Amino acid sequence: MTFLKKLLEFSGIHPERLRTRWVSSAEAVEFVHEVSEFVEEIKKLGPNPLKAKKKEAA
Amino acid sequence: MGQKIKEHVQKLLTEGKIKGFLGLREENSDIMPHLFCDPKKLDHLSLGDWKKAGDARYPLNQLMIRLTMEHPEETLAVLVRGCDERGLKELFKWKQLNEEKIVLIGMGCPDELAKACECEKPFPDSLIDGPKGEKADNQKVARVEAMDLDTRLQFWKAEFDRCIKCFGCRNVCPMCFCNECSLEEDQLVGTGEIPPANPTFHLARAIHMVGRCIDCGLCEEACPADIPLRTLYKKMTEIISKEFGYKTGFSVDEKSPFNMIEVK
């Protein structure tokens, strides 16, 4: 994961778009919390610049 | 420089220490890999310099793998530059080649080539002839790091858009030996798309180069679209060095963090 984050950053993609967190199947509440928080973070970062590219190509 | 190496190879062949020497042969202005087996027929032995140093290079390590598969009992010698030796050290650890059956014939790279490659170490430990060049400054990676995130994305997007998925980079790579290549997996990189999934194709290859890439530069030379692949893979080598303290191709027994599984 270290590599992927740094590679993404080197390639111009915000490293915070990648998140890894180990959650056990018994930790349902933590999972929901983690995902919700991540969704908020992503919304703040805005749409992925790669997405815009695909629309152009189409 | 060719003379010292020629004499050394001649000696090894005459004394029967090696069955053959995998080097380069020059004939009619063409330079190509050749297995020299006769000590009396070394006239066309070349070190791969045509118009300038290192402009006729081949993934000799890759050819060695094929040769040793066909002749596992024979001891063979191979021409190595600094990068080739790094490759061999890794291939030994990845169990792709048997170090007891391979003799390294080392040549040092001239300054001009070492600088163009920004080589970490432009000469092998097993040096027969050639200079012990100095480590060259790394500017290719620094140039990208100087860009901000958005500029970087534009930069790489433009570079990867030229890719025609010829697989030249992977095919020529002396460190690529997987029987099943992830890049051909439709679920990862959709087949039938040109350019291939941008940036998935190239980032996937970059991740696979971690702890493997020996910075020989053959990929970038092979690329028909002039994509600065080396810059990407050099960055990966930098990360594994900084984060894991692992320098690809420098140790004969320390394995890469990705090579921890013992296969018996």
Side-chain angles (χ1 to χ4, degrees):
Chain A
M1 283 302 130
T2 314
F3 293 106
L4 197 44
K5 256 204 211 271
K6 289 195 186 279
L7 177 61
L8 288 175
E9 193 173 19
F10 188 69
S11 313
I13 299 165
H14 205 295
E16 288 307 302
R17 292 190 186 271
L18 176 73
R19 182 184 289 212
T20 43
R21 158 100 191 255
W22 183 84
V23 186
S24 118
S25 46
E27 292 183 305
V29 179
E30 279 82 3
F31 179 69
V32 171
H33 178 77
E34 187 71 38
V35 174
S36 308
E37 200 187 273
F38 190 41
V39 169
E40 286 311 307
E41 272 262 353
I42 293 293
K43 281 186 178 162
K44 275 190 220 147
L45 284 172
N48 191 325
L50 290 174
K51 208 174 176 187
K53 206 164 53 66
K54 272 194 181 143
K55 283 200 183 136
E56 269 169 49
Chain B
M1 178 158 53
Q3 199 49 38
K4 250 193 182 174
I5 289 180
K6 202 182 279 189
E7 283 166 17
H8 188 86
V9 168
Q10 201 163 50
K11 190 162 179 281
L12 288 172
L13 282 170
T14 316
E15 291 173 5
K17 293 217 170 102
I18 55 172
K19 189 74 201 277
F21 165 62
L22 178 62
L24 300 171
R25 173 176 117 239
E26 179 173 345
E27 205 169 291
N28 302 324
S29 312
D30 280 322
I31 299 177
M32 63 208 91
H34 185 80
L35 185 67
F36 297 90
C37 297
D38 189 341
K40 296 189 217 80
K41 295 192 180 157
L42 298 178
D43 294 321
H44 293 280
L45 197 150
S46 161
L47 296 182
D49 307 321
W50 173 221
K51 294 196 176 108
K52 62 182 206 294
D55 62 358
R57 293 190 303 143
Y58 289 85
L60 294 180
N61 291 352
Q62 216 186 66
L63 296 170
M64 272 310 260
I65 293 178
R66 272 188 243 173
L67 273 175
T68 53
M69 264 200 263
E70 287 163 29
H71 308 277
E73 298 309 311
E74 308 289 8
T75 300
L76 302 170
V78 63
L79 180 67
V80 296
R81 293 177 184 267
C83 48
D84 299 308
E85 189 190 61
R86 292 198 287 273
L88 284 176
K89 285 188 184 169
E90 287 299 322
L91 290 170
F92 294 152
K93 286 184 280 182
W94 283 98
K95 303 217 161 86
Q96 295 301 304
L97 284 171
N98 183 356
E99 55 194 307
E100 288 168 27
K101 294 275 179 210
I102 298 185
V103 176
L104 277 66
I105 309 287
M107 59 180 275
C109 292
D111 209 40
E112 162 207 344
L113 182 58
K115 284 215 167 59
C117 281
E118 290 180 357
C119 191
E120 178 81 24
K121 184 171 156 243
F123 62 91
D125 290 334
S126 314
L127 185 65
I128 302 292
D129 204 353
K132 270 194 175 176
E134 273 172 24
K135 172 176 163 15
D137 270 327
N138 203 323
Q139 283 173 5
K140 295 182 187 182
V141 173
R143 242 173 262 142
V144 176
E145 306 232 275
M147 302 176 193
D148 68 15
L149 215 62
D150 284 323
T151 316
R152 277 185 212 173
L153 189 61
Q154 299 307 324
F155 173 75
W156 288 115
K157 174 203 179 279
E159 300 291 347
F160 297 156
D161 263 347
R162 292 199 307 275
C163 178
I164 56 170
K165 211 177 179 183
C166 69
F167 282 111
C169 49
R170 183 208 59 185
N171 290 347
V172 82
C173 179
M175 302 311 294
C176 273
F177 52 79
C178 293
N179 289 327
E180 281 173 32
C181 180
S182 313
L183 299 174
E184 298 188 60
E185 178 59 50
D186 183 55
Q187 304 278 336
L188 180 66
V189 179
T191 47
E193 262 177 43
I194 300 292
N198 186 340
T200 317
F201 183 91
H202 288 281
L203 294 190
R205 183 142 209 283
I207 289 278
H208 288 211
M209 284 296 104
V210 175
R212 265 190 219 241
C213 178
I214 46 159
D215 202 17
C216 67
L218 286 170
C219 51
E220 207 172 89
E221 267 180 45
C223 179
D226 289 328
I227 298 171
L229 298 166
R230 266 186 117 166
T231 310
L232 202 53
Y233 309 153
K234 270 184 198 272
K235 177 65 186 175
M236 301 318 288
T237 309
E238 194 185 278
I239 300 172
I240 202 175
S241 175
K242 279 207 187 115
E243 304 287 331
F244 290 82
Y246 182 72
K247 293 182 89 177
T248 316
F250 279 81
S251 163
V252 284
D253 35 46
E254 190 198 341
K255 290 187 180 182
S256 125
F258 289 84
N259 188 9
M260 293 295 172
I261 301 174
E262 275 298 315
V263 181
K264 300 253 149 72

